[in-house]
């Protein structure tokens, strides 16, 4: 498929032979290899395979292999290691051994290796695999040693990452295999193992697996071939690729990987952006980021920082810029000469869309909410000479805003009688999964203001915006801020302006996908 040494292996998990044949043809046009999971086929008659080489089932396997223009791995997984059909082991292994005569590779569990040898497989075509579906075994080195003592073309160790730091073990195994000059597939299943699937090949993994779409995955956390190839661009990732990503919790639904990766691709930049789901910030920094202690040797360019780490992260950085210092929050880190520098692009990202609509000096602004994003907006508005009133459900909790910025804070229902020309929603009200369809204020309180700006972007059209438009206001969606703050981050890392259109359409697609999935 490609000149890159990275192999993307499409996994076929169809339930019928006809569907598998069609999927193999589709997969061969996108992937570098194909794994056919025979244990998913419910209309496949395994027979008794007494004479494996002439059996009808072997004939079907041959047909499946010959349907592909790229090498095929035949896998017939035992239920004890995630297989979907209970078939007598002798029947299963005899077929697998026979298939080593014509398939690119056949994958057998290490636990059944000795039994497979009884059927004389071509060991030069074997992938011998080890799986732990429950987590990270403590003795991975011993497992590696036992596994690699079994003659095979490729060895494979698949674990399950329960937290992001578990991914490090896969990279360590790949480093060891590189030193030992062995072909190894090492990856960690689960969402927390995502980086092993994207970066694994660049760190020496023989291949990375991809599904043919949502619902077709053969393992937890498996990305699709489309995501691997077109979003993360795995084929061009090397050890020199600049790495960026978003650290926070939760980040699984973040639109940032889509926005940044599409924008990197647009400019053909050698960058990749990953979600880093991490609750323990200090541990993540020790093990992945800080030069002196990190356990992965990668070319880190920077990070986006999101909830809940925007304030806490300040203490682990070498330097922060003025805006980050004044707001007490960092949403962007740039790695420069091994120094970590913190920025806050939320401020400019929030203000830019407003400034495009009207001048802010002297403008009367009402900010609803007193949390993190409200702080960024208030700081930006005051910096541009706007007059700011804050409306919060618990004004007493907004004390530090009053102290930091000398703004007045009133209950939300007082907005109706305020003379604000610009009303900004900085609460989560109206957000999908929180209170979609609700607005933080009455429709009347939005009537005939000049501008209504909702920082909520999911959904893009909120009740607050609909009410405001019907009341005669110009409206701005939180999507504008989302894209603007991301574009500023992009520029800090790459030194080049991002394509706003590309980021916007990537974010819009991601938000729509999320709305339909949940
Ligand atoms: P935060 O720090 O948790 O602050 C949320 C604020 O909203 C607090 O003042 C909270 O009041 C108030 N609030 C929450 N539920 C409320 C309710 N039912 N009624 C009245 N007030 C309520 O969150 P944040 O980081 O500021 O983010 C707020 C929202 O902004 C997010 O949910 C997101 O939708 C949006 N956002 C958008 C962007 C963007 O790029 N467009 C960026 C960041 C955030 P209490 O203090 O009384 O709890």
């Amino acid at each position: 498929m490609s000149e890159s040494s990275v192999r993307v292996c499409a996994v076929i998990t169809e339930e019928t032979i006809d569907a598998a044949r069609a999927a193999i043809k589709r997969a061969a046009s996108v992937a570098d290899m194909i794994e056919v999971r025979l244990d998913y086929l419910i209309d496949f008659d395994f027979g008794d395979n007494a004479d494996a080489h002439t059996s009808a089932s072997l004939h079907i396997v041959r047909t499946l292999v010959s349907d592909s223009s790229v090498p095929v791995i035949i896998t017939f997984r035992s239920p004890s290691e995630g297989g979907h059909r209970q078939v007598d082991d002798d029947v299963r292994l005899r077929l697998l051994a026979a298939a080593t005569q014509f398939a690119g590779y056949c994958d057998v569990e290490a636990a059944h290796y000795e039994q497979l040898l009884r059927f004389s497989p071509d060991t030069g075509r074997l992938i011998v695999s080890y799986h732990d579906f429950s987590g990270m075994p403590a003795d991975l080195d011993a497992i590696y040693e036992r596994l690699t003592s079994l003659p095979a073309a490729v060895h494979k160790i698949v674990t399950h990452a329960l937290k992001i730091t578990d991914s490090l073990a896969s990279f360590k195994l790949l480093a060891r295999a590189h030193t030992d000059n062995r072909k190894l597939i090492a990856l960690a299943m689960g969402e927390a193992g995502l980086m092993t699937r994207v970066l694994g090949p660049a760190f020496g993994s023989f291949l990375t697996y991809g599904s043919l779409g949502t619902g077709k995955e053969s393992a937890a956390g498996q990305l699709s071939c489309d995501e691997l190839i077109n979003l993360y661009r795995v084929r061009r990732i090397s050890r020199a690729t600049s790495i960026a990503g978003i650290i926070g919790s939760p980040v699984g639904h973040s639109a940032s990987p889509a926005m940044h990766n599409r924008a990197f691709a647009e400019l053909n930049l050698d960058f990749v952006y990953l979600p880093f789901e991490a609750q323990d910030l200090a541990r993540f920094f020790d093990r992945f980021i800080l030069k002196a202690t990190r356990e992965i040797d990668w070319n880190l360019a920077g990070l986006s920082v999101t909830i809940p780490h925007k304030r806490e992260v300040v203490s682990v950085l070498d330097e922060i810029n003025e805006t980050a210092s004044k707001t007490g929050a960092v949403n962007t880190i740039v790695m420069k000469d091994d120094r970590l520098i913190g920025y806050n692009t939320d401020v400019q990202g929030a203000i830019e869309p407003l400034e495009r609509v009207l001048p802010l000096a002297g403008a009367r602004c009402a900010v609803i909410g007193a949390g993190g994003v409200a702080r960024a907006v208030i700081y930006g508005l005051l910096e541009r000479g706007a007059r700011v009133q804050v409306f919060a459900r618990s004004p007493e909790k907004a004390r530090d805003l009053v102290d930091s910025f000398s703004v007045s804070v009133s209950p939300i229902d007082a907005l109706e009688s305020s003379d604000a020309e610009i009303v900004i929603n900085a609460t989560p009200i109206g957000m999908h999964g929180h209170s979609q369809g609700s607005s933080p204020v009455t429709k009347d309180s939005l009537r005939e203001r000049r501008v209504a700006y909702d920082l909520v972007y999911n959904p893009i059209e909120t009740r607050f915006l609909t009410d405001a438009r019907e009341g005669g206001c110009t409206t701005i969606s939180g999507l504008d801020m989302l894209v603007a703050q991301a574009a500023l981050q992009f520029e800090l890392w790459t030194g080049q302006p991002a394509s706003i259109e590309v980021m916007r359409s990537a974010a819009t697609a991601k938000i729509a996908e999320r709305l339909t999935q949940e």
Side-chain angles (χ1 to χ4, degrees):
M1 271 290 96
S2 66
E3 285 169 23
S4 148
S5 60
V6 172
R7 296 179 188 88
V8 175
C9 178
V11 186
I12 308 296
T13 57
E14 298 298 336
E15 292 188 340
T16 67
I17 295 164
D18 282 350
R21 295 190 67 176
I24 288 168
K25 292 201 172 107
R26 271 200 323 277
S29 65
V30 292
D32 307 288
M33 295 183 87
I34 290 174
E35 179 189 44
V36 179
R37 286 285 299 262
L38 296 182
D39 52 291
Y40 277 75
L41 294 172
I42 50 183
D43 66 349
F44 184 79
D45 180 4
F46 293 93
D48 63 7
N49 281 309
D51 186 354
H53 294 277
T54 58
S55 73
S57 51
L58 191 70
H59 175 72
I60 292 170
V61 178
R62 262 185 215 283
T63 312
L64 293 171
V65 169
S66 63
D67 277 342
S68 172
S69 52
V70 297
V72 173
I73 301 170
I74 294 295
T75 301
F76 191 162
R77 192 63 75 224
S78 138
S80 59
E81 297 205 24
H84 281 232
R85 273 186 77 172
Q86 183 68 54
V87 177
D88 178 81
D89 274 337
D90 272 0
V91 172
R92 184 174 74 84
L93 296 170
R94 200 181 280 128
L95 182 69
L96 210 52
T100 59
Q101 300 307 317
F102 56 84
Y105 297 92
C106 291
D107 182 323
V108 65
E109 311 81 43
H112 293 103
Y113 184 88
E114 294 300 330
Q115 201 176 342
L116 179 78
L117 288 189
R118 297 212 315 264
F119 303 111
S120 311
D122 176 350
T123 56
R125 300 283 185 102
L126 285 183
I127 297 175
V128 188
S129 53
Y130 168 90
H131 301 89
D132 187 330
F133 291 92
S134 61
M136 303 300 295
D139 52 348
L140 259 185
D141 276 327
I143 289 166
Y144 170 89
E145 279 148 28
R146 274 200 309 277
L147 188 74
T148 53
S149 72
L150 307 174
V154 182
H155 297 89
K156 169 174 158 187
I157 299 181
V158 179
T159 53
H160 192 126
L162 301 176
K163 49 190 185 318
I164 194 161
T165 43
D166 288 342
S167 298
L168 287 166
S170 300
F171 293 111
K172 286 177 190 161
L173 287 172
L174 290 171
R176 182 162 179 194
H178 178 74
T179 307
D180 297 349
N181 201 20
R182 285 188 186 287
K183 292 192 177 93
L184 182 74
I185 301 165
L187 63 91
M189 294 180 288
E191 236 182 88
L194 183 141
M195 72 164 80
T196 66
R197 295 186 181 275
V198 175
L199 302 181
F203 281 74
S205 191
F206 180 68
L207 57 75
T208 186
Y209 296 97
S211 75
L212 285 183
T214 309
K216 299 286 183 190
E217 301 83 0
S218 64
Q222 193 171 78
L223 296 165
S224 68
C225 289
D226 180 48
E227 287 170 308
L228 285 167
I229 295 167
N230 298 319
L231 179 64
Y232 291 106
R233 297 183 301 151
V234 281
R235 288 196 181 118
R236 70 158 300 158
I237 299 177
S238 71
R239 293 295 290 274
T241 297
S242 298
I243 313 275
I246 180 163
I247 173 175
S249 184
V251 294
H253 290 295
S254 168
S256 296
M259 286 192 288
H260 286 292
N261 283 318
R262 299 284 182 206
F264 292 147
E266 178 72 11
L267 295 185
N268 200 20
L269 297 176
D270 190 13
F271 274 72
V272 65
Y273 186 102
L274 297 160
F276 298 129
E277 170 79 37
Q279 282 168 5
D280 188 333
L281 181 81
R283 185 171 302 215
F284 179 79
F285 267 73
D286 279 349
R287 301 192 64 186
F288 286 96
I289 308 295
L290 301 176
K291 183 88 194 265
T293 55
R294 71 184 179 205
E295 295 166 43
I296 182 164
D297 178 20
W298 58 4
N299 182 19
L300 193 69
L303 293 169
S304 307
V305 184
T306 188
I307 291 172
H309 302 312
K310 285 186 184 183
R311 291 177 87 86
E312 183 194 352
V313 78
V314 170
S315 64
V316 295
L317 304 179
D318 297 301
E319 191 183 321
I320 59 173
N321 83 339
E322 191 187 337
T323 312
S325 161
K326 292 257 174 67
T327 53
V330 161
N331 80 325
T332 310
I333 298 171
V334 176
M335 182 85 159
K336 196 163 178 230
D337 304 327
D338 289 331
R339 286 174 62 73
L340 296 170
I341 307 164
Y343 298 83
N344 186 321
T345 69
D346 281 338
V347 172
Q348 201 182 327
I351 298 303
E352 259 182 28
L354 260 181
E355 275 183 322
R356 282 199 290 268
V357 174
L358 80 179
L360 292 175
R364 297 184 302 279
C365 302
V367 176
I368 311 162
V373 78
R375 243 185 127 74
V377 173
I378 294 165
Y379 174 79
L381 289 171
L382 293 173
E383 219 193 10
R384 276 135 181 102
R387 288 188 282 152
V388 179
Q389 280 182 293
V390 177
F391 296 86
R393 70 169 166 188
S394 26
E396 68 292 347
K397 276 174 57 186
R399 273 277 123 230
D400 71 318
L401 270 184
V402 175
D403 296 344
S404 317
F405 300 124
S406 309
V407 287
S408 70
V409 183
S410 313
I412 296 179
D413 56 14
L415 175 70
E416 206 158 328
S417 56
S418 110
D419 63 353
E421 322 160 70
I422 300 171
V423 181
I424 302 167
N425 175 31
T427 74
I429 301 175
M431 195 172 88
H432 177 68
H434 182 276
S435 46
Q436 191 171 352
S438 306
S439 168
V441 290
T442 59
K443 192 169 175 179
D444 272 348
S445 53
L446 295 175
R447 211 173 291 284
E448 291 175 17
R449 310 279 182 188
R450 286 183 71 188
V451 178
Y453 182 10
D454 199 344
L455 300 183
V456 170
Y457 55 82
N458 181 18
I460 294 168
E461 178 64 20
T462 58
R463 171 80 183 275
F464 175 83
L465 292 182
T466 311
D467 284 353
R469 200 172 303 113
E470 288 173 8
C473 305
T474 298
T475 56
I476 307 173
S477 149
L479 180 66
D480 289 355
M481 171 181 173
L482 183 73
V483 172
Q485 59 79 32
L488 292 161
Q489 299 185 317
F490 184 99
E491 199 160 343
L492 283 168
W493 299 323
T494 67
Q496 299 192 47
S499 162
I500 301 293
E501 299 73 46
V502 165
M503 281 195 159
R504 197 178 172 87
S505 84
T508 306
K510 186 72 195 173
I511 292 165
E513 176 192 304
R514 188 174 168 191
L515 291 177
T516 54
Q517 272 173 5
E518 291 170 3

